[in-house]
Amino acid sequence: MKILTNWLRTYVPNIPADDLQLADDLTLRGIAVEGVHHLGPNNGHLFEMDITTNRVDAMNHYGIAREAATIYNLPLLPLLPETASQPPASTPFPVRIEAPHLCGRFTAQVLRNITISPSTGSIADYFGLLAQKQISNAVDASNFVLLGMGHPTHAFDLDKLEGGIVVRLARQGEKLKLLDGIERILEADDLVVADEVKALGLAGVMGGWDSMITPQTKNILVEAAWFDQASIRRSARRHGLHTDASHRFERGADFNACPTANALVSQLILQSGGSLEGGLVDILIPEIAARTASRPPIQLSVLQVQRHLGTTLSPEGLTQEIVVQYLTALGCELTPLSSSKNDSAAALDAFNRDPQVGGAASALSSVSTIPEDLFSVQLPSWRLDLEREIDLIEEVARVYGYNRFANTLPTPGIVIAHPTSAAEAAVRTRLLALGFSESISSTFASQSDSDLFSTAGKGTIAMENPLSDEASLLRPSLVPGMVTMLAHNLNRDVKDVRLFEQGHIFTGDTNEVYESSQLSLGLTGASSSTTLHSAQDAPFFELKGVIESVISLFTLTGGSAALSFTLQAPDWLQPGRSATVLLNNTPIGGLGELTRAEAQRRKLRQPIYLAQLDLAVLYALPLRQVTAHDLSRFQAVERDFSFTFPDATQWHTIAAAIHALAIPELQRLAPVEIFRDAKGKAVAAGHYSLLLRAVFQSHERTLNEDELSHWQSQIIATLTHLGGSIRA
């Protein structure tokens, strides 16, 4: 956004700082000036601003002027001088709102005998410095007010209207040619400004071709309205439009700005001749006003401002006078709530015991007086981002200047670790050690991704005000983000990728949202083949091993046998190359290769392997405590066992059976060699040869041969019972 300092100073004439200092002071208060350009003698500077999306009130010259007036404690000049109101017409211009939930306010002013001509004066001067296209005095007046005070307006050729104004939803398939010359087919939930016969414009986005101002225009209807944010965003995205008007409406326009904006536009147009006809028509929906401009006041305690913000560099600190000064300058109306000074100590004590906003109210109701520092704050209509006491505290800190606070550490004992922080750190450390890199994906997901990757029956959460169609839902799974990140790497010729993400997913509905911790794993690229697995299958078993390693961090009920896998898997995984993770026979995740159809649809250059694990289940378990012992000074003894087993006999079954023998001196058990014979000669088809090595060692004595023979016999009997045969 571009701001002219000369224009800015017309609203705050006596700013004591030069333009460069003003830029620094604004930036330190969160109104970032990213570039300052000198415009020549007497023209001041051009500020290139970076305004965050929640500060739509500052996306104009008057909003920045309000910030400057607050910083320097100067008066802010009104947008309109006080003038006598125009008497209403005998027959007011008819305006009807048929979609009151989407249009909360609509103002209309009739202008007669207008002369359409090029703009002159300050409009022409400022537009030239801003490189703003000039069209005509009527259209430029609307653009000037948008840049000046930030509220969109529109001018209709009154003689082209058939009847009064009707704000309604479009009819399915209705056609409307907009000012860009393109005819668009409207949907049933598009909001339009129409007359009694036809649509005149796409509300809050762009006006229509058939009612635009031309050199032949003589009579004008000036409109300034308030439209619902979500409705404007949907229509703008649907029709591929992003205008200055939609940019403001999507972020929350000022409900109370409509009459002022309309009057300013009318005043500017009338400078070239013409007259008003009747007074301003102002249709207002009380229910919309109640949740925007007339929101209930919130309580603010100066004690809480001081407690949250801490020590300042100046000795006087954040006094009550400073807090009131800043918030009043920003447009808040502060009313003291103190009733008397009796028993104030008891009231303060009760207040400090329960310092939150709701808690403050309950604490104050239990005593006969209210603390002297407590205020009721009526919020300004242009600051929809202010909702709670902490928001006001943040505003005080911002205007005061973060650089004016002392560098202090929190009081010992205040910071408490989250209950799952140790488990999260253990999982993160293990995965980093296994060669995975941590990643973070978007919290939002598209409808198509949610349909594919969400768990059946869990439900998805639609955003009330989504940023785009590709981010319309809270993510019900971490997998879509992981797929996107793997694809991003592959598209940039990074072929070997190992990623993990610890995050939260959201299920349920808009009435009740469930949030749970999940782990997502993704890998693609070359994996080394083994005697058991081909290079093609190795990534799956690598991923399976990573999951086993992560789960081994926790103390499982039932020991290692509690973990198992089944071939059934989610629909987004390739059948036969996927599995479900079971913990005590309860599914806690899935792993495998992304389906070939989905990989082809996403144009992935090579197979990718994914896993999602329910960390909430694991976090409910205690972390496994690792213990260390002194090394034994007695000799270790190794014994090898060569057996053949059916393919159905899995390693964890063998290991669990041997460990169940409870031989204290058995220090290590590991497969040394696994062999299959494709021809079925050395090892029968459907079987594999296993060379198993057991290591025995005592911390108290040297082992004798009788003990070793007894343990060896126990192991052989156990392996035989499992279906194994000693290999000659």
Side-chain angles (χ1 to χ4, degrees), residues 6 25 195 532 630 661:
N6 279 6
D25 290 342
D195 58 23
L532 282 176
D630 292 336
L661 296 174

Side-chain angles (χ1 to χ4, degrees), residues 161-303:
L161 273 56
E162 300 178 72
I165 289 291
V166 181
V167 184
R168 60 172 173 81
L169 289 172
R171 304 179 185 93
Q172 184 66 36
E174 186 174 7
K175 296 180 180 180
L176 175 62
K177 186 177 181 181
L178 297 177
L179 288 174
D180 59 2
I182 299 175
E183 185 177 74
R184 288 173 170 82
I185 299 176
L186 305 181
E187 299 288 340
D189 63 342
D190 284 326
L191 185 68
V192 296
V193 178
D195 58 23
E196 298 292 349
V197 176
K198 60 186 179 300
L200 302 173
L202 193 58
V205 181
M206 186 179 289
W209 183 274
D210 294 335
S211 59
M212 69 177 177
I213 303 297
T214 66
Q216 291 73 41
T217 298
K218 295 298 181 185
N219 302 304
I220 288 176
L221 180 73
V222 179
E223 165 253 306
W226 183 95
F227 301 114
D228 177 71
Q229 297 166 252
S231 173
I232 301 304
R233 180 176 287 111
R234 284 195 300 269
S235 291
R237 299 296 186 275
R238 178 184 298 119
H239 298 290
L241 295 169
H242 182 81
T243 63
D244 290 335
S246 69
H247 188 81
R248 269 74 171 180
F249 279 123
E250 288 176 12
R251 287 155 178 79
D254 180 3
F255 188 89
N256 284 347
C258 301
T260 302
N262 198 312
L264 280 172
V265 173
S266 300
Q267 184 183 85
L268 291 170
I269 294 175
L270 292 176
Q271 289 178 358
S272 301
S275 61
L276 295 173
E277 181 180 277
L280 182 73
V281 177
D282 188 358
I283 308 298
L284 183 147
I285 306 300
E287 294 79 10
I288 303 296
R291 63 180 176 86
T292 54
S294 303
R295 291 169 291 165
I298 60 178
Q299 290 184 0
L300 173 71
S301 166
V302 176
L303 286 178

Side-chain angles (χ1 to χ4, degrees), residues 421-462:
S421 60
E424 290 178 5
V427 171
R428 179 179 294 107
T429 301
R430 176 60 58 86
L431 289 169
L432 291 173
L434 291 170
F436 281 68
S437 299
E438 187 168 14
S439 59
I440 300 176
S441 64
S442 173
T443 311
F444 309 115
S446 66
Q447 184 66 57
S448 59
D449 280 346
S450 297
D451 292 341
L452 177 61
F453 295 107
S454 62
T455 303
K458 290 293 186 71
T460 54
I461 314 299

Side-chain angles (χ1 to χ4, degrees), residues 181-517:
I182 299 175
E183 185 177 74
R184 288 173 170 82
I185 299 176
L186 305 181
E187 299 288 340
D189 63 342
D190 284 326
L191 185 68
V192 296
V193 178
D195 58 23
E196 298 292 349
V197 176
K198 60 186 179 300
L200 302 173
L202 193 58
V205 181
M206 186 179 289
W209 183 274
D210 294 335
S211 59
M212 69 177 177
I213 303 297
T214 66
Q216 291 73 41
T217 298
K218 295 298 181 185
N219 302 304
I220 288 176
L221 180 73
V222 179
E223 165 253 306
W226 183 95
F227 301 114
D228 177 71
Q229 297 166 252
S231 173
I232 301 304
R233 180 176 287 111
R234 284 195 300 269
S235 291
R237 299 296 186 275
R238 178 184 298 119
H239 298 290
L241 295 169
H242 182 81
T243 63
D244 290 335
S246 69
H247 188 81
R248 269 74 171 180
F249 279 123
E250 288 176 12
R251 287 155 178 79
D254 180 3
F255 188 89
N256 284 347
C258 301
T260 302
N262 198 312
L264 280 172
V265 173
S266 300
Q267 184 183 85
L268 291 170
I269 294 175
L270 292 176
Q271 289 178 358
S272 301
S275 61
L276 295 173
E277 181 180 277
L280 182 73
V281 177
D282 188 358
I283 308 298
L284 183 147
I285 306 300
E287 294 79 10
I288 303 296
R291 63 180 176 86
T292 54
S294 303
R295 291 169 291 165
I298 60 178
Q299 290 184 0
L300 173 71
S301 166
V302 176
L303 286 178
Q304 291 305 303
V305 175
Q306 296 165 346
R307 184 179 74 86
H308 279 283
L309 301 184
T311 307
T312 64
L313 296 177
S314 58
E316 66 273 13
L318 283 169
T319 64
Q320 179 169 302
E321 291 72 21
I322 291 177
V323 173
V324 172
Q325 172 194 317
Y326 288 166
L327 294 180
T328 301
L330 290 173
C332 299
E333 297 178 9
L334 280 72
T335 304
L337 290 179
S338 56
S339 57
S340 71
K341 295 186 178 180
N342 299 327
D343 260 346
S344 61
L348 284 170
D349 180 65
F351 180 76
N352 287 329
R353 285 198 303 269
D354 197 354
Q356 300 302 320
V357 176
S362 61
L364 292 170
S365 65
S366 65
V367 295
S368 59
T369 59
I370 298 174
E372 291 293 318
D373 74 325
L374 196 62
F375 292 87
S376 172
V377 182
Q378 185 64 54
L379 303 172
S381 60
W382 55 84
R383 289 298 301 273
L384 297 180
D385 58 313
L386 302 180
E387 298 177 342
R388 304 170 296 163
E389 181 187 46
I390 196 64
D391 296 331
L392 298 177
I393 294 173
E394 182 181 3
E395 286 298 288
V396 172
R398 183 180 65 80
V399 177
Y400 186 77
Y402 294 114
N403 58 318
R404 299 174 63 190
F405 289 96
N407 294 325
T408 57
L409 294 174
T411 303
I414 291 180
V415 179
I416 301 174
H418 192 275
T420 64
S421 60
E424 290 178 5
V427 171
R428 179 179 294 107
T429 301
R430 176 60 58 86
L431 289 169
L432 291 173
L434 291 170
F436 281 68
S437 299
E438 187 168 14
S439 59
I440 300 176
S441 64
S442 173
T443 311
F444 309 115
S446 66
Q447 184 66 57
S448 59
D449 280 346
S450 297
D451 292 341
L452 177 61
F453 295 107
S454 62
T455 303
K458 290 293 186 71
T460 54
I461 314 299
M463 299 291 292
E464 183 177 342
N465 197 12
L467 297 174
S468 68
D469 292 339
E470 295 302 312
S472 60
L473 303 175
L474 288 175
R475 63 185 181 192
S477 169
L478 298 182
V479 176
M482 182 59 67
V483 173
T484 299
M485 290 184 288
L486 291 174
H488 181 85
N489 281 273
L490 291 175
N491 291 337
R492 285 153 182 80
D493 292 327
V494 181
K495 298 181 179 179
D496 296 328
V497 188
R498 303 290 187 274
L499 298 176
F500 77 92
E501 179 180 8
Q502 294 183 87
H504 292 85
I505 64 170
F506 307 87
T507 56
D509 54 40
T510 52
N511 295 321
E512 193 166 13
V513 178
Y514 299 94
E515 182 177 352
S516 63
S517 301

